[in-house]
Amino acid sequence: MVDTTLSTTYREYIDCLNRQDWAELEQFVHVDVHHNGERIGLSGYREMLERDFREIPDLHFDIQLIVCDPPRIASRLGFNCTPRGNFLGLDVDGRRVSFAENVFYEFDERRIKAVWSIIDKVAIERQLGQSMDPR
């Protein structure tokens, strides 16, 4: 049996992000949320997202894959956007780049309590012609 409730909640969360509906964020994110092992709380999480949208005005979260094993979800998110200035230590400066983020979420009472995220920086480096990877 598949738990569609949690995956539906996750899709609603992603929709909330894409609408930048920060008032609704607390419906999806726990007040004591952790990001990559650090407790940042709901306010820190919101600040992180607001900064992301300031630095990447055309940011859009595109769900490419979801694996749901309650209380956890794994997701691959796709991005095709134009970050301003420096992004992940790279001088992107408004050039369009495509990359993926692999992210794991742990839910508590239908709210995200922990997030572990890895962005494919090598994909961006390759597009910018800056890859140090000899492959």
Side-chain angles (χ1 to χ4, degrees):
M1 173 157 292
V2 176
D3 184 334
T4 56
T5 305
L6 191 57
S7 62
T8 298
T9 298
Y10 178 69
R11 289 178 189 280
E12 291 170 351
Y13 159 73
I14 294 297
D15 182 56
C16 172
L17 298 185
N18 285 330
R19 289 183 284 112
Q20 300 179 53
D21 188 347
W22 308 129
E24 190 176 306
L25 190 62
E26 68 185 24
Q27 293 180 25
F28 302 102
V29 179
H30 197 281
V31 69
D32 290 321
V33 67
H34 287 69
H35 182 264
N36 288 342
E38 178 184 349
R39 184 195 175 281
I40 61 173
L42 177 59
S43 63
Y45 197 80
R46 177 178 172 163
E47 289 169 12
M48 175 183 68
L49 290 165
E50 288 175 335
R51 181 183 64 246
D52 290 345
F53 276 95
R54 274 193 310 276
E55 293 175 359
I56 311 170
D58 60 349
L59 184 62
H60 180 82
F61 293 75
D62 179 29
I63 299 170
Q64 296 179 336
L65 176 69
I66 296 177
V67 177
C68 185
D69 186 15
R72 294 175 191 89
I73 284 187
S75 180
R76 181 172 176 86
L77 299 170
F79 300 93
N80 184 359
C81 56
T82 52
R84 295 179 177 164
N86 192 285
F87 179 62
L88 301 175
L90 302 171
D91 187 23
V92 178
D93 198 25
R95 288 179 276 181
R96 180 163 295 281
V97 291
S98 297
F99 60 94
E101 176 183 20
N102 295 310
V103 61
F104 298 86
Y105 302 87
E106 184 169 88
F107 286 74
D108 181 22
E109 297 178 4
R110 295 180 48 95
R111 290 191 185 150
I112 298 167
K113 181 80 181 244
V115 180
W116 299 271
S117 166
I118 297 175
I119 293 176
D120 186 357
K121 184 176 176 180
V122 172
I124 300 168
E125 290 172 338
R126 286 185 180 139
Q127 292 167 68
L128 299 175
Q130 299 177 6
S131 180
M132 303 303 259
D133 187 352
R135 290 182 271 162

